[in-house]
Amino acid sequence: MINTIPCALYDYVRWPDGRSRFYYISPQCREIFECDADQITSDVGLLWGMVHPDDLPRLQAEDLVANQTGDGFQSEVRIVPPSGATKWIKLTSRPGTLHVDGGRMWSGVILDISERKEEEAERNRLLRELQAALDKVRVLSGFVPICSTCKKIRDDKGYWNQLEAYISEHTDAEFTHGICPDCAKRALDEFHLLIERENAAKDATPDDAGRR
C-alpha cells in the first residue's frame, strides 16, 4: 500500500536547536520531488532548498511553532524541483511519542496539490472578471441624467453624450439600428401626408392660385 498510494509518507525529526532530518520517506517522493528517498534521508537540506523563496520563511516559522506547541502541523507551499516546474504541495503531520536524542518525531503525508491550485487560480480569475463586469454594470445603476427632448445623457464631467455612445463607453454593449413599429407608422403617415400635399399643389388651377 505504501508503494502505490498517490502521496509520500514520512517520518521527520526536529531537534530544539533547529536541526532536522527525514528518518523515512516513501518511494512516491520521486514523483513529487524528482529525487530518490535515500537522497532525501541523507540530506534534509535538499527539500528545504526546493521550497519557493517566497514561501520558505512562512514554512520555517510554521515548523518552529508546531515543534514548540506539539500541535498538529499543516502547510501548503510551492516547491521548485530539478525540472524547474513549480509545484504546490501540502504537508500534514502529527507528533508521535518517540523522541530521538531529544528531538521530536513527526509522522505525516505529502500531497501534490498542483492541479487543485491551478483550478483555484482559474476560478479566482473568473471571479475577478465577473466582478469587473458587475462593476461596469453598476455604473449605469441609479439616476442617469437624460434630456427629455433629444435623449442625450449627461456624464459625470458634465458633457452631454448620445445615448449609444454613453452606454458603449460604460458597458461592452454594441448597437445595431432598426426602427420600431410605432416610429415606422409615424414616418409612413408623414410621408403619405407629404405626397398628398404635393399632389394637391400640382392639381391647383391658376384661378385657384390667384384667389388664394
Side-chain angles (χ1 to χ4, degrees), residues 196-209:
E196 290 176 0
R197 288 176 177 174
E198 290 180 352
N199 291 336
K202 291 178 181 179
D203 293 339
T205 63
D207 292 340
D208 292 336

mmCIF file with all atom_site columns, all heavy atoms in Angstrom, residues 196-209:
data_model
loop_
_atom_site.group_PDB
_atom_site.id
_atom_site.type_symbol
_atom_site.label_atom_id
_atom_site.label_alt_id
_atom_site.label_comp_id
_atom_site.label_asym_id
_atom_site.label_entity_id
_atom_site.label_seq_id
_atom_site.pdbx_PDB_ins_code
_atom_site.Cartn_x
_atom_site.Cartn_y
_atom_site.Cartn_z
_atom_site.occupancy
_atom_site.B_iso_or_equiv
_atom_site.pdbx_formal_charge
_atom_site.auth_seq_id
_atom_site.auth_comp_id
_atom_site.auth_asym_id
_atom_site.auth_atom_id
_atom_site.pdbx_PDB_model_num
ATOM 1   N N   . GLU A 1 196 ? -49.609 63.770 -50.415 1.00 0.00 ? 196 GLU A N   1
ATOM 2   C CA  . GLU A 1 196 ? -50.924 64.362 -50.656 1.00 0.00 ? 196 GLU A CA  1
ATOM 3   C C   . GLU A 1 196 ? -50.815 65.864 -50.864 1.00 0.00 ? 196 GLU A C   1
ATOM 4   O O   . GLU A 1 196 ? -51.489 66.449 -51.736 1.00 0.00 ? 196 GLU A O   1
ATOM 5   C CB  . GLU A 1 196 ? -51.845 64.053 -49.473 1.00 0.00 ? 196 GLU A CB  1
ATOM 6   C CG  . GLU A 1 196 ? -52.256 62.583 -49.385 1.00 0.00 ? 196 GLU A CG  1
ATOM 7   C CD  . GLU A 1 196 ? -53.082 62.294 -48.146 1.00 0.00 ? 196 GLU A CD  1
ATOM 8   O OE1 . GLU A 1 196 ? -53.328 63.244 -47.367 1.00 0.00 ? 196 GLU A OE1 1
ATOM 9   O OE2 . GLU A 1 196 ? -53.474 61.125 -47.961 1.00 0.00 ? 196 GLU A OE2 1
ATOM 10  N N   . ARG A 1 197 ? -49.984 66.533 -50.089 1.00 0.00 ? 197 ARG A N   1
ATOM 11  C CA  . ARG A 1 197 ? -49.817 67.983 -50.226 1.00 0.00 ? 197 ARG A CA  1
ATOM 12  C C   . ARG A 1 197 ? -49.188 68.335 -51.569 1.00 0.00 ? 197 ARG A C   1
ATOM 13  O O   . ARG A 1 197 ? -49.585 69.315 -52.226 1.00 0.00 ? 197 ARG A O   1
ATOM 14  C CB  . ARG A 1 197 ? -48.952 68.516 -49.098 1.00 0.00 ? 197 ARG A CB  1
ATOM 15  C CG  . ARG A 1 197 ? -49.666 68.531 -47.747 1.00 0.00 ? 197 ARG A CG  1
ATOM 16  C CD  . ARG A 1 197 ? -48.719 68.978 -46.639 1.00 0.00 ? 197 ARG A CD  1
ATOM 17  N NE  . ARG A 1 197 ? -49.418 69.061 -45.363 1.00 0.00 ? 197 ARG A NE  1
ATOM 18  C CZ  . ARG A 1 197 ? -48.810 69.313 -44.198 1.00 0.00 ? 197 ARG A CZ  1
ATOM 19  N NH1 . ARG A 1 197 ? -47.475 69.500 -44.183 1.00 0.00 ? 197 ARG A NH1 1
ATOM 20  N NH2 . ARG A 1 197 ? -49.499 69.380 -43.089 1.00 0.00 ? 197 ARG A NH2 1
ATOM 21  N N   . GLU A 1 198 ? -48.182 67.530 -51.989 1.00 0.00 ? 198 GLU A N   1
ATOM 22  C CA  . GLU A 1 198 ? -47.551 67.789 -53.281 1.00 0.00 ? 198 GLU A CA  1
ATOM 23  C C   . GLU A 1 198 ? -48.545 67.588 -54.430 1.00 0.00 ? 198 GLU A C   1
ATOM 24  O O   . GLU A 1 198 ? -48.585 68.370 -55.390 1.00 0.00 ? 198 GLU A O   1
ATOM 25  C CB  . GLU A 1 198 ? -46.343 66.879 -53.444 1.00 0.00 ? 198 GLU A CB  1
ATOM 26  C CG  . GLU A 1 198 ? -45.171 67.242 -52.525 1.00 0.00 ? 198 GLU A CG  1
ATOM 27  C CD  . GLU A 1 198 ? -43.989 66.317 -52.719 1.00 0.00 ? 198 GLU A CD  1
ATOM 28  O OE1 . GLU A 1 198 ? -44.150 65.309 -53.453 1.00 0.00 ? 198 GLU A OE1 1
ATOM 29  O OE2 . GLU A 1 198 ? -42.909 66.601 -52.168 1.00 0.00 ? 198 GLU A OE2 1
ATOM 30  N N   . ASN A 1 199 ? -49.374 66.552 -54.334 1.00 0.00 ? 199 ASN A N   1
ATOM 31  C CA  . ASN A 1 199 ? -50.372 66.301 -55.383 1.00 0.00 ? 199 ASN A CA  1
ATOM 32  C C   . ASN A 1 199 ? -51.422 67.396 -55.419 1.00 0.00 ? 199 ASN A C   1
ATOM 33  O O   . ASN A 1 199 ? -51.892 67.824 -56.495 1.00 0.00 ? 199 ASN A O   1
ATOM 34  C CB  . ASN A 1 199 ? -51.041 64.949 -55.165 1.00 0.00 ? 199 ASN A CB  1
ATOM 35  C CG  . ASN A 1 199 ? -50.085 63.786 -55.419 1.00 0.00 ? 199 ASN A CG  1
ATOM 36  O OD1 . ASN A 1 199 ? -49.096 63.950 -56.166 1.00 0.00 ? 199 ASN A OD1 1
ATOM 37  N ND2 . ASN A 1 199 ? -50.357 62.624 -54.829 1.00 0.00 ? 199 ASN A ND2 1
ATOM 38  N N   . ALA A 1 200 ? -51.803 67.841 -54.228 1.00 0.00 ? 200 ALA A N   1
ATOM 39  C CA  . ALA A 1 200 ? -52.805 68.915 -54.166 1.00 0.00 ? 200 ALA A CA  1
ATOM 40  C C   . ALA A 1 200 ? -52.266 70.189 -54.790 1.00 0.00 ? 200 ALA A C   1
ATOM 41  O O   . ALA A 1 200 ? -52.982 70.930 -55.480 1.00 0.00 ? 200 ALA A O   1
ATOM 42  C CB  . ALA A 1 200 ? -53.220 69.164 -52.712 1.00 0.00 ? 200 ALA A CB  1
ATOM 43  N N   . ALA A 1 201 ? -50.974 70.458 -54.582 1.00 0.00 ? 201 ALA A N   1
ATOM 44  C CA  . ALA A 1 201 ? -50.363 71.656 -55.151 1.00 0.00 ? 201 ALA A CA  1
ATOM 45  C C   . ALA A 1 201 ? -50.300 71.559 -56.672 1.00 0.00 ? 201 ALA A C   1
ATOM 46  O O   . ALA A 1 201 ? -50.487 72.558 -57.384 1.00 0.00 ? 201 ALA A O   1
ATOM 47  C CB  . ALA A 1 201 ? -48.971 71.856 -54.564 1.00 0.00 ? 201 ALA A CB  1
ATOM 48  N N   . LYS A 1 202 ? -50.056 70.348 -57.203 1.00 0.00 ? 202 LYS A N   1
ATOM 49  C CA  . LYS A 1 202 ? -49.977 70.175 -58.644 1.00 0.00 ? 202 LYS A CA  1
ATOM 50  C C   . LYS A 1 202 ? -51.349 70.336 -59.306 1.00 0.00 ? 202 LYS A C   1
ATOM 51  O O   . LYS A 1 202 ? -51.469 70.793 -60.448 1.00 0.00 ? 202 LYS A O   1
ATOM 52  C CB  . LYS A 1 202 ? -49.398 68.805 -58.977 1.00 0.00 ? 202 LYS A CB  1
ATOM 53  C CG  . LYS A 1 202 ? -47.930 68.664 -58.611 1.00 0.00 ? 202 LYS A CG  1
ATOM 54  C CD  . LYS A 1 202 ? -47.445 67.252 -58.930 1.00 0.00 ? 202 LYS A CD  1
ATOM 55  C CE  . LYS A 1 202 ? -45.968 67.100 -58.543 1.00 0.00 ? 202 LYS A CE  1
ATOM 56  N NZ  . LYS A 1 202 ? -45.489 65.730 -58.814 1.00 0.00 ? 202 LYS A NZ  1
ATOM 57  N N   . ASP A 1 203 ? -52.414 69.907 -58.580 1.00 0.00 ? 203 ASP A N   1
ATOM 58  C CA  . ASP A 1 203 ? -53.753 69.939 -59.160 1.00 0.00 ? 203 ASP A CA  1
ATOM 59  C C   . ASP A 1 203 ? -54.412 71.312 -59.071 1.00 0.00 ? 203 ASP A C   1
ATOM 60  O O   . ASP A 1 203 ? -55.477 71.566 -59.672 1.00 0.00 ? 203 ASP A O   1
ATOM 61  C CB  . ASP A 1 203 ? -54.654 68.917 -58.442 1.00 0.00 ? 203 ASP A CB  1
ATOM 62  C CG  . ASP A 1 203 ? -54.196 67.487 -58.709 1.00 0.00 ? 203 ASP A CG  1
ATOM 63  O OD1 . ASP A 1 203 ? -53.479 67.285 -59.712 1.00 0.00 ? 203 ASP A OD1 1
ATOM 64  O OD2 . ASP A 1 203 ? -54.539 66.586 -57.906 1.00 0.00 ? 203 ASP A OD2 1
ATOM 65  N N   . ALA A 1 204 ? -53.818 72.238 -58.320 1.00 0.00 ? 204 ALA A N   1
ATOM 66  C CA  . ALA A 1 204 ? -54.423 73.564 -58.152 1.00 0.00 ? 204 ALA A CA  1
ATOM 67  C C   . ALA A 1 204 ? -54.410 74.334 -59.478 1.00 0.00 ? 204 ALA A C   1
ATOM 68  O O   . ALA A 1 204 ? -53.416 74.325 -60.203 1.00 0.00 ? 204 ALA A O   1
ATOM 69  C CB  . ALA A 1 204 ? -53.678 74.349 -57.083 1.00 0.00 ? 204 ALA A CB  1
ATOM 70  N N   . THR A 1 205 ? -55.531 75.012 -59.901 1.00 0.00 ? 205 THR A N   1
ATOM 71  C CA  . THR A 1 205 ? -55.628 75.809 -61.138 1.00 0.00 ? 205 THR A CA  1
ATOM 72  C C   . THR A 1 205 ? -55.055 77.192 -60.913 1.00 0.00 ? 205 THR A C   1
ATOM 73  O O   . THR A 1 205 ? -54.950 77.640 -59.760 1.00 0.00 ? 205 THR A O   1
ATOM 74  C CB  . THR A 1 205 ? -57.082 75.938 -61.563 1.00 0.00 ? 205 THR A CB  1
ATOM 75  O OG1 . THR A 1 205 ? -57.777 76.660 -60.541 1.00 0.00 ? 205 THR A OG1 1
ATOM 76  C CG2 . THR A 1 205 ? -57.729 74.583 -61.751 1.00 0.00 ? 205 THR A CG2 1
ATOM 77  N N   . PRO A 1 206 ? -54.700 77.902 -62.029 1.00 0.00 ? 206 PRO A N   1
ATOM 78  C CA  . PRO A 1 206 ? -54.204 79.268 -61.870 1.00 0.00 ? 206 PRO A CA  1
ATOM 79  C C   . PRO A 1 206 ? -55.196 80.182 -61.179 1.00 0.00 ? 206 PRO A C   1
ATOM 80  O O   . PRO A 1 206 ? -54.838 81.044 -60.398 1.00 0.00 ? 206 PRO A O   1
ATOM 81  C CB  . PRO A 1 206 ? -53.927 79.724 -63.318 1.00 0.00 ? 206 PRO A CB  1
ATOM 82  C CG  . PRO A 1 206 ? -53.670 78.438 -64.046 1.00 0.00 ? 206 PRO A CG  1
ATOM 83  C CD  . PRO A 1 206 ? -54.587 77.427 -63.424 1.00 0.00 ? 206 PRO A CD  1
ATOM 84  N N   . ASP A 1 207 ? -56.582 80.013 -61.527 1.00 0.00 ? 207 ASP A N   1
ATOM 85  C CA  . ASP A 1 207 ? -57.566 80.850 -60.888 1.00 0.00 ? 207 ASP A CA  1
ATOM 86  C C   . ASP A 1 207 ? -57.608 80.609 -59.390 1.00 0.00 ? 207 ASP A C   1
ATOM 87  O O   . ASP A 1 207 ? -57.743 81.525 -58.601 1.00 0.00 ? 207 ASP A O   1
ATOM 88  C CB  . ASP A 1 207 ? -58.961 80.591 -61.491 1.00 0.00 ? 207 ASP A CB  1
ATOM 89  C CG  . ASP A 1 207 ? -59.045 81.070 -62.937 1.00 0.00 ? 207 ASP A CG  1
ATOM 90  O OD1 . ASP A 1 207 ? -58.193 81.923 -63.300 1.00 0.00 ? 207 ASP A OD1 1
ATOM 91  O OD2 . ASP A 1 207 ? -59.932 80.607 -63.659 1.00 0.00 ? 207 ASP A OD2 1
ATOM 92  N N   . ASP A 1 208 ? -57.524 79.301 -59.058 1.00 0.00 ? 208 ASP A N   1
ATOM 93  C CA  . ASP A 1 208 ? -57.499 78.959 -57.629 1.00 0.00 ? 208 ASP A CA  1
ATOM 94  C C   . ASP A 1 208 ? -56.321 79.607 -56.959 1.00 0.00 ? 208 ASP A C   1
ATOM 95  O O   . ASP A 1 208 ? -56.414 80.140 -55.862 1.00 0.00 ? 208 ASP A O   1
ATOM 96  C CB  . ASP A 1 208 ? -57.461 77.450 -57.430 1.00 0.00 ? 208 ASP A CB  1
ATOM 97  C CG  . ASP A 1 208 ? -58.765 76.809 -57.880 1.00 0.00 ? 208 ASP A CG  1
ATOM 98  O OD1 . ASP A 1 208 ? -59.785 77.519 -57.891 1.00 0.00 ? 208 ASP A OD1 1
ATOM 99  O OD2 . ASP A 1 208 ? -58.751 75.584 -58.187 1.00 0.00 ? 208 ASP A OD2 1
ATOM 100 N N   . ALA A 1 209 ? -55.180 79.579 -57.675 1.00 0.00 ? 209 ALA A N   1
ATOM 101 C CA  . ALA A 1 209 ? -53.958 80.165 -57.096 1.00 0.00 ? 209 ALA A CA  1
ATOM 102 C C   . ALA A 1 209 ? -54.131 81.650 -56.941 1.00 0.00 ? 209 ALA A C   1
ATOM 103 O O   . ALA A 1 209 ? -53.675 82.237 -55.958 1.00 0.00 ? 209 ALA A O   1
ATOM 104 C CB  . ALA A 1 209 ? -52.747 79.833 -58.003 1.00 0.00 ? 209 ALA A CB  1
#
